[in-house]
Every structure is written in C-alpha cells, then in structure tokens.
Amino acid sequence: MTAVQSTSSTTNKVLGHPLNAWYVAAWDHEVTRKPMSRRVANRPLALYRTEDGKAVALADACWHRLAPLSMGKTMGKDGIQCPYHGIVYNSAGRCVSMPAQETINPSATVPSFPVVERYRYVWVWLGDPTKADPDLVPDMHQMSSEEWAGDGETIHADCNYQLVLDNLMDLTHEEFVHSSSIGQEELSESDFEVTHDGSTVTVSRWMHNIDAPPFWLKNMRDKFPGFEGKVDRWQIITFQAPSTINIDVGVAKAGTGAPEGDRSQGVNGFVMNTITPETDRSCHYFWAFMRNYRLESQLITTQLRNGVHGVFGEDEEMLKAQQAAIDANPDYEFYNLNIDAGGMWVRRLIERMLEAEGRLVPTA
Amino acid sequence: MAATNVEVWQQATVIETQSIATDIQRIVLEPSAPKKAEPGSHVDLKVMIDGEQDKRSYSVVESSEDGKRLAISVMKAPQSRGGSLFMHTLKPGDTLEITQPLQNFPLRVGAERYILLAGGIGITAMINMARVLKNLKADYTFVYAGRNRAAMAYLPELQELHGDNLVVHVDDEGTSLKVDELVASADLETELYMCGPIRLMDVVRRAWTERELNLPDLRYETFGNSGWYDPEEFIVRIPRLGVEAKVGQGRSMLETLEDAGVDMMFDCRKGECGLCEVRILELDGAVDHRDVFYSERQQHAAAKMCCCVSRAVTSKTGAKSDADPHRGPAVVTIEVS
C-alpha cells in the first residue's frame, strides 16, 4: 500500500485513500451472474451475483496461480470457477473444489470483501472487515426514493480521486469550465459559507435575483411553462468522508422565499457524486442527477442525464489535463486560494482517516 | 486489507517472557517493522537447534493495534525437534528473525453463527479470533478442551472475557469433549474454526461430513506437527537411488531425504499441498498420516504419503502397547519423482 506524505498545508498533490470506508464498486445493474472485473482502491475485484441475487466481491486473482476469476463463470448457488484450472470458490472466497485431488487444501481461499447494496450501488469495504458497519454507507437516499427521479453514469477519470473532490467542493470553476450551461459570473462574485464536523463538510452559496443560466432556465420552464424573469439560485455542497459529495442545487422565482426555506416556486435537484479511487492516478466517478419535480417524465430524466453528461465531460477533460500537468511538474507545489476552504477541510478529514489507519507518513 | 503472505523478514526483540501453564511459555515480541496481526495469523521465526538454523511457525495470540507487541505462546513438546526448547530459553532483550504476521487461517466476518474449537496449545490460534467475535457481538461458542487445567494456557483470562460463551472441557475432571454433540449443535449457517491435535481435527472432520454440513465452513489450521502415533525412529529406502536413511524421532522424512542428498520437491511442509508426495513400494509397519491432503480412503490405501509430515511406525492398530519392543524400527521403501 502506498504510504502518504503529509505536509502541514494538507495540499498533497496525490492523496492516498482510506481503506476503512465503503466505496462504490458498481451500479447495481452492472453486477450480474456474469462476473466482471473492477479495480477499487488499487485492488482488482471480481464482482458477480449469487443465484439468490446477492452481490459478491472477491479478490480478482485465483489462490493458485493468480488467474483473474472475473474471466471465469459463476457456478452452483454462490460459486465462481477459475477459468484456468477450474478451482471453484464460494461467495466467502473458500475453495469448494480442486482439480485432481479428493480433498481441499485448507489454505486455499481468496479474500471476500464485505458488500452492501444500497442507493442503486454496490458498495465494498477493502479495509478491516471487523469495522465494516453498513451504517457507515454515506447517505445518498435520493437515489432510491419515491420522491426523487433521475439517472446517472460513470466517468472513468484519469486523475487522483482527490482532484474530483476539489472540483466538486468549489463550484467557482463553473463560470470558466461550464460557461455555456451552468456558468455565470455571479458564481465567483457571491459569498459562500463553509462548515464542517468530524466527517462532513458543507459549502453553501446563494445568488440572489440573477438571470437563470441556460440549464436552469430549461428546468424552470419544465415546471413553470413559459417562465421568464429573475431567480434566486443555490448550491449547497455536502461532503461525506471519504469521497461522497451530494450537491443540493436549484433556482426559484426571485424573492419567493427560497433562501428562507420555501422552494415551492422553484426547481430542485441533487447532484449525487461518489468517487471511488481506482489507482493513485485514476478513479471511478459515479454520478447521478436527481430531481423532485415532474417525476413522471422519462424525457426530463434523459435530458438531464444527457445535459449533466455534457457538463461533466468538460470537467473530465480538465481533470485529466490537470493530473498530466501535476505529473509533468513534480517539483512544483500546490498553492491555495480562499475558495479552496471546502476542499481543504475535505483533505484534512481524509488525512485524519489515513492517520487513524497508520497510513499517513508525516514528513520529517 | 487483503492478507498478504509475502514474507518480510525482520528483527524482533523479546520484551516479556512468562510461564503461563505447564510447559507453556508466553513470549511478547517487538518486531522492527510492526504490523497488526489479524485474527488467525501466525509468524514464522528462525530458531537455532544444535547450532543450525531452522524455521518454526507460531500463532499470534495477541497483537496491539500498532503491531509493536505480538504475543505468541510456545509449548515445550516432549518429542520436539528442538525448536520449542530453543524458544523456552529466550529472555527479554534477546533478538531473533521473524516474518511479519502471515495469514492462512482468516476469520470471515458475517457468518450467522460461529463455533471456535481449541484443543490444548491450539488455543493460541483461537484467542485473537474469539476476541474479535466478541467485539463484533457475533453469535459464537468458544470451546476449549484440555487434559488438565494446569496445562490449559489463558484459561482464567478467557473465562473472564467470554463468560458463558466459553465452554471448557477437561479430561482429568471427567468433562471430556464429546465431538458428536458439539458438531450436532452446528447447522448450515455455522462456521467452525478449530486448531488442535490432528486426532481431534480428524474426528471433527468426520462428524462434520457425516452431518452433511458444508466442508468449506469447517476451517482449520495445521502445522503438521501431530499424529495418531508418537513419532518413532524409522528407516526409509529408495532402491532406485540406492538410498537408505534413518529418520530420527525429531526429524521429518523429507528433511532426512534432503540430508541424504535426494533432490526433493515440496512446498508447504505442513501436509496441505501434496507436492512432496512419495509412492510407497513396500511397508514394514504402518503409516501415520499427518497430512490433510489425502482423503481417508487414500490414507487407508497407504499407497502414497506426504513425506513432509507423515511417518512410518511399527504399530498396526494405533495402540502404543501394540508395538513389539523387541522388533526393529518400521521400514518404508519408496519411490520419488
């Protein structure tokens, strides 16, 4: 496992990932009776479902000669067979059949990782299994609630997962990266407020009496046909350690009380993001856009998903270029701006988790 | 974190030693590259026997969170080849070479019900597991069987920690373990983890099979160091190579053949993998199969043996008194690959 260098400014350019945490390995629909391979937190996993539909995550390397189990096939009630020499493991990772012998070597096991299926995702725990409490799965209830509708995708991002967290914790970048959809200059002109506790960080920003950018004007008109006029816009970003960020976003007709809590004259969405480190320089970025209006419209679901797909494509391009620039300039450091307060708290909480795991190596 | 079994050799300093039961010494080590030991793990360490270096494996009884305190416990075995005697001479401040904790006996978190079974010094492999199950508030029964209380290490501490979850069986008190009753208490949702003499483990395995429970739910670890018979000196012959050697009480057949210059193939050296298998051409005596590689049927056929752990003995029935004191040692004639 990679040791992490700490600096007092908590601005590591390549931040390690805690292992005692739930990470999304896949969307629920991706995991089937046909095994698939996915690397999570530097560990290749074979994911499949048992006959009863239970999701299983085994290390994707046979005990015998490390052939990838994900290339094999499911067998019996809950087993998977290595494609190379036919060794069969059950969902606990125990060998249940060995070729050419009447007994089974008691040492023949592959690690089986704790799995929880929740909020349309399959979550895995790669750290100490005795600490794998399902109550620690981050709250993403909008993903599977009758009061919310929407859909999402996965981005395979060629950057350290922390760069995605930085990106989401400060939305000032929307003005520059997403100028044609959600960007507007009021973003960097408005004030924001940062709060935190032991495992969450919240960044709130309100923009009053502004023009709705194209993305939000379209959403307002879906709910209020023919809408014209000014809006109050909000972005309330909530980080849950180590890598989930839900963003409460929306606009309402200006002056109708949204900042005070009455959002009835507006449209509200939640951008659900959970980032799973793949390697030190790549991650699986699972996102969805959920809304609480016009729930019946599959058209709007598709339009929103496609719209966000376009927006996040712009982020992906930037993140990849940023990682390349980081790697090309190993002797240059990061510096911080006032707008990084949210992202800096995120880094500090993650570093505390790494420290608790004994994996944060302070610099001398 | 997934267990890794890549051996990282390092120095360890003995920081405490204590006699905790008849012939059992507790030794606390501080490794130079500490790593927390997960339940079921062991360390390999280098011992000196008659000026020669050898390797031994001991279960980790306790590990601090940071891995800077690893406790093991060593029983002075009467038939020891010298490793346990060496371990009993260690004093605080001594150093020796050890690996980081290695894992061949992982505890799976998430079973409905657990039975942990320790026989004698096998308790060392179960203590860490039991503590984790207690912390997880799992449904577990911890069964500890021994000859007499004085020989049962950690008994008071375990009683205090596990209360009614700990069931103690003591031969001298007439409360010997009844394996059939124990296995009858297991169902398809139960995982049984055990460590103890091979006789005990064989009996449990048979009862488990008869009850038609799933074999992968029966977990055990063997270091290949106990058998159905006491070890005796015996003769091994390989006619094709013109080899005849005497296997001493404290040596294995594999070691003896290596000493005699035979190019032997092997891997685990504890009777699991089957790589050291030899073909038996002729046998004067019986085979004490100490491996878990062969099925009962195969062991009974006595056509092959795992020479890393299994031995030839003079007795035919298993009763020690059965052996004729006037006859010579058992002789096994083999062919090797």
Side-chain angles (χ1 to χ4, degrees):
Chain A
M1 238 24 84
T2 326
V4 181
Q5 294 292 307
S6 165
T7 62
S8 59
S9 57
T10 51
T11 41
N12 287 294
K13 291 183 288 181
V14 176
L15 193 63
H17 43 261
L19 289 174
N20 287 331
W22 292 104
Y23 290 112
V24 170
W27 288 86
D28 52 7
H29 61 80
E30 290 183 278
V31 181
T32 66
R33 289 288 281 157
K34 185 178 158 45
M36 64 176 281
S37 175
R38 182 149 293 161
R39 184 183 281 248
V40 173
N42 280 321
R43 178 67 61 190
L45 302 178
L47 304 171
Y48 68 94
R49 282 185 194 279
T50 67
E51 228 168 56
D52 297 341
K54 201 166 76 75
V56 178
L58 301 182
D60 194 13
C62 180
W63 169 83
H64 171 222
R65 284 290 187 267
L66 307 185
L69 296 178
S70 57
M71 285 172 67
K73 55 186 179 199
T74 47
M75 184 150 281
K77 203 169 154 318
D78 74 338
I80 185 170
Q81 182 177 46
C82 174
Y84 201 176
H85 301 98
I87 294 178
V88 181
Y89 301 90
N90 66 14
S91 59
R94 272 114 187 225
C95 178
V96 295
S97 166
M98 262 183 177
Q101 62 184 67
E102 294 185 10
T103 57
I104 294 167
N105 186 322
S107 298
T109 59
V110 292
S112 173
F113 299 97
V115 170
V116 168
E117 197 158 345
R118 195 172 292 175
Y119 311 135
R120 294 167 62 183
Y121 293 126
V122 173
W123 303 77
V124 296
W125 181 283
L126 297 182
D128 179 349
T130 65
K131 298 191 166 113
D133 180 353
D135 291 346
L136 297 176
V137 172
D139 177 15
M140 299 186 83
H141 71 272
Q142 292 88 348
M143 295 290 293
S144 52
S145 158
E146 285 179 7
E147 290 161 29
W148 297 83
D151 204 5
E153 296 177 351
T154 313
I155 295 169
H156 182 264
D158 289 320
C159 65
N160 181 257
Y161 78 113
Q162 184 64 42
L163 298 186
V164 183
L165 301 181
D166 280 346
N167 170 283
L168 291 166
M169 290 308 286
D170 168 44
L171 300 180
T172 317
H173 76 271
E174 289 180 355
E175 181 182 343
F176 308 99
V177 179
H178 311 303
S179 53
S180 67
S181 52
I182 51 175
Q184 57 187 162
E185 60 188 21
E186 288 87 349
L187 280 161
S188 49
E189 288 167 2
S190 58
D191 220 359
F192 62 91
E193 188 184 300
V194 181
T195 59
H196 79 279
D197 62 24
S199 62
T200 69
V201 179
T202 303
V203 179
S204 313
R205 188 196 302 264
W206 280 90
M207 290 152 275
H208 301 280
N209 203 33
I210 59 170
D211 289 322
F215 177 85
W216 285 113
L217 187 59
K218 187 258 179 218
N219 294 341
M220 275 299 274
R221 286 175 176 168
D222 282 340
K223 184 170 175 184
F224 306 103
F227 169 77
E228 296 281 352
K230 299 283 186 184
V231 295
D232 294 329
R233 181 181 178 185
W234 67 89
Q235 296 173 324
I236 301 166
I237 308 165
T238 305
F239 163 83
Q240 300 173 76
S243 59
T244 297
I245 296 176
N246 299 335
I247 313 179
D248 173 5
V249 290
V251 299
K253 294 172 187 170
T256 56
E260 291 76 36
D262 177 8
R263 294 177 174 182
S264 61
Q265 296 306 301
V267 285
N268 185 192
F270 260 80
V271 195
M272 316 296 294
N273 309 277
T274 187
I275 324 299
T276 299
E278 181 192 43
T279 67
D280 291 340
R281 280 176 172 71
S282 62
C283 57
H284 308 288
Y285 175 0
F286 298 90
W287 64 264
F289 190 94
M290 307 302 293
R291 67 180 189 282
N292 63 358
Y293 59 94
R294 297 289 312 274
L295 300 182
E296 85 296 347
S297 174
Q298 185 60 45
L299 173 66
I300 294 177
T301 295
T302 304
Q303 286 172 335
L304 285 171
R305 190 187 61 213
N306 290 349
V308 177
H309 172 95
V311 171
F312 283 4
E314 294 169 337
D315 287 305
E316 184 187 352
E317 199 180 329
M318 177 53 70
L319 292 166
K320 184 176 173 180
Q322 184 190 6
Q323 182 70 59
I326 289 169
D327 291 336
N329 295 283
D331 51 340
Y332 291 175
E333 296 302 323
F334 275 4
Y335 292 98
N336 297 305
L337 299 173
N338 169 265
I339 55 171
D340 295 315
M344 291 298 279
W345 276 111
V346 165
R347 288 166 173 273
R348 188 168 292 173
L349 297 191
I350 289 174
E351 291 191 345
R352 282 183 186 153
M353 292 178 79
L354 289 167
E355 202 171 4
E357 293 178 15
R359 296 172 55 240
L360 183 72
V361 183
T363 45
Chain B
M1 196 176 327
T4 165
N5 277 343
V6 179
E7 291 178 11
V8 180
W9 286 95
Q10 55 196 282
Q11 285 281 314
T13 307
V14 176
I15 50 181
E16 278 171 40
T17 62
Q18 188 191 353
S19 169
I20 53 168
T22 313
D23 287 334
I24 299 176
Q25 189 84 346
R26 174 184 158 93
I27 300 161
V28 182
L29 299 165
E30 181 177 351
S32 56
K35 187 168 170 282
K36 186 189 171 193
E38 302 302 332
S41 55
H42 66 275
V43 288
D44 284 354
L45 46 79
K46 289 187 178 158
V47 295
M48 294 301 289
I49 302 170
D50 299 333
E52 279 186 42
Q53 209 167 53
D54 208 343
K55 198 168 89 172
R56 290 291 182 273
S57 298
Y58 295 102
S59 298
V60 178
V61 176
E62 280 166 34
S63 162
S64 58
E65 273 296 317
D66 57 12
K68 284 183 181 161
R69 280 176 63 89
L70 293 185
I72 59 173
S73 299
V74 180
M75 183 169 73
K76 198 188 290 172
Q79 314 291 348
S80 162
R81 295 177 284 168
S84 66
L85 291 175
F86 168 83
M87 294 302 294
H88 274 243
T89 64
L90 290 173
K91 293 275 169 298
D94 289 350
T95 59
L96 63 171
E97 275 184 83
I98 76 167
T99 61
Q100 89 282 24
L102 303 171
Q103 179 63 281
N104 279 329
F105 192 34
L107 173 72
R108 184 174 77 100
V109 176
E112 285 293 314
R113 226 170 83 69
Y114 296 87
I115 298 173
L116 305 182
L117 171 59
I121 191 65
I123 192 69
T124 54
M126 312 310 303
I127 287 177
N128 211 351
M129 280 193 190
R131 188 182 303 113
V132 168
L133 291 180
K134 182 186 161 62
N135 289 344
L136 289 174
K137 300 185 177 69
D139 179 352
Y140 72 101
T141 305
F142 187 4
V143 181
Y144 186 7
R147 231 168 262 137
N148 59 67
R149 279 180 196 262
M152 294 171 75
Y154 298 105
L155 193 51
E157 296 96 308
L158 293 174
Q159 276 170 324
E160 178 154 346
L161 183 63
H162 296 286
D164 291 343
N165 288 88
L166 184 77
V167 179
V168 178
H169 294 279
V170 186
D171 292 345
D172 283 2
E173 298 173 7
T175 58
S176 295
L177 172 68
K178 295 191 173 63
V179 168
D180 283 340
E181 284 175 19
L182 177 67
V183 173
S185 73
D187 59 22
L188 285 167
E189 310 299 321
T190 306
E191 295 191 353
L192 192 155
Y193 293 74
M194 62 177 175
C195 188
I198 197 133
R199 281 172 184 246
L200 173 66
M201 299 207 288
D202 277 350
V203 173
V204 173
R205 199 159 42 226
R206 194 173 303 141
W208 195 266
T209 310
E210 278 167 10
R211 214 171 124 63
E212 295 184 349
L213 297 168
N214 295 322
L215 266 179
D217 292 336
L218 179 61
R219 313 304 304 167
Y220 51 93
E221 181 165 55
T222 163
F223 294 120
N225 51 11
S226 68
W228 284 85
Y229 304 79
D230 286 338
E232 299 169 8
E233 191 176 274
F234 64 99
I235 306 291
V236 56
R237 291 187 182 134
I238 309 176
R240 180 173 60 85
L241 303 177
V243 168
E244 173 168 329
K246 190 182 288 181
V247 182
Q249 220 180 32
R251 295 289 283 165
S252 73
M253 187 187 207
L254 174 60
E255 289 165 339
T256 305
L257 292 172
E258 286 174 326
D259 292 346
V262 184
D263 197 4
M264 296 296 293
M265 181 53 66
F266 62 88
D267 180 28
C268 73
R269 298 185 91 105
K270 56 184 182 183
E272 291 185 353
C273 74
L275 264 184
C276 69
E277 160 178 287
V278 299
R279 208 145 51 81
I280 301 172
L281 303 177
E282 212 184 310
L283 178 65
D284 177 13
V287 178
D288 183 11
H289 287 286
R290 295 171 165 223
D291 62 279
V292 294
F293 173 71
Y294 295 118
S295 65
E296 262 188 74
R297 185 193 68 79
Q298 290 170 312
Q299 291 190 346
H300 196 70
K304 294 171 177 176
M305 63 192 285
C306 288
C307 69
C308 65
V309 292
S310 298
R311 312 182 62 86
V313 289
T314 47
S315 171
K316 297 240 184 223
T317 65
K320 254 166 104 181
S321 56
D322 179 58
D324 175 358
H326 302 299
R327 63 160 289 172
V331 181
V332 58
T333 307
I334 62 167
E335 178 58 297
V336 297
S337 65

